[in-house]
Amino acid sequence: SYQPFLPRLTNVLDQPDAALPIIRAAYDDPAYRDGARMGAIAHWAVHYGDTGLAFKALERGYVERHGLTLAEIWHPIFAELRKDARCKDILRGTGLAQHWRKTGKWGDFARPLGEDDFEVW
């Protein structure tokens, strides 16, 4: 199963204090160390207000594990995270920021700021 913790989480969806330990345990579980599962954990972590866990999951999933679903970072649930400098660190860590700068193709979601910075929304 893509997210084996979901049956337990479904029982406590409206209880953040009960849901977050389930999500944190999934983050710590070696079976969830791929990019896609880390992306899902980041979604749930943001939903329940744990931005620290969300950033850790995004870092692990996309920088460390080279996850292929990086486009998820533009999902509306991550809008507030994109305003945080840690998001730019993740995009730098994946090489995406360097690619944008090298090619000049920033798309509709990012733009350069000076010679060595950028912003995303």
Side-chain angles (χ1 to χ4, degrees):
S1 171
Y2 171 60
Q3 296 179 48
F5 66 89
L6 278 182
R8 288 179 292 128
L9 186 62
T10 310
N11 292 326
V12 295
L13 281 177
D14 60 346
Q15 302 169 43
D17 290 339
L20 277 169
I22 294 168
I23 298 161
R24 289 177 183 134
Y27 173 83
D28 290 332
D29 187 334
Y32 287 93
R33 298 289 165 95
D34 64 273
R37 287 187 175 113
M38 284 292 118
I41 288 168
H43 274 261
W44 286 110
V46 167
H47 176 76
Y48 289 110
D50 191 340
T51 58
L53 178 61
F55 277 116
K56 287 177 16 179
L58 291 171
E59 174 82 19
R60 179 181 285 165
Y62 299 121
V63 177
E64 295 173 17
R65 303 292 178 180
H66 309 289
L68 299 175
T69 58
L70 180 61
E72 284 187 36
I73 207 159
W74 282 274
H75 189 282
I77 200 165
F78 294 130
E80 287 301 311
L81 270 64
R82 289 191 299 274
K83 297 175 186 177
D84 189 298
R86 291 174 288 182
C87 182
K88 290 198 293 188
D89 291 341
I90 289 168
L91 294 170
R92 285 182 182 107
T94 65
L96 191 54
Q98 294 87 331
H99 170 76
W100 290 334
R101 190 160 298 280
K102 181 178 176 183
T103 65
K105 296 179 181 177
W106 291 84
D108 296 332
F109 44 78
R111 71 176 177 188
L113 294 176
E115 293 297 316
D116 62 354
D117 199 7
F118 64 97
E119 67 178 342
V120 294
W121 50 88

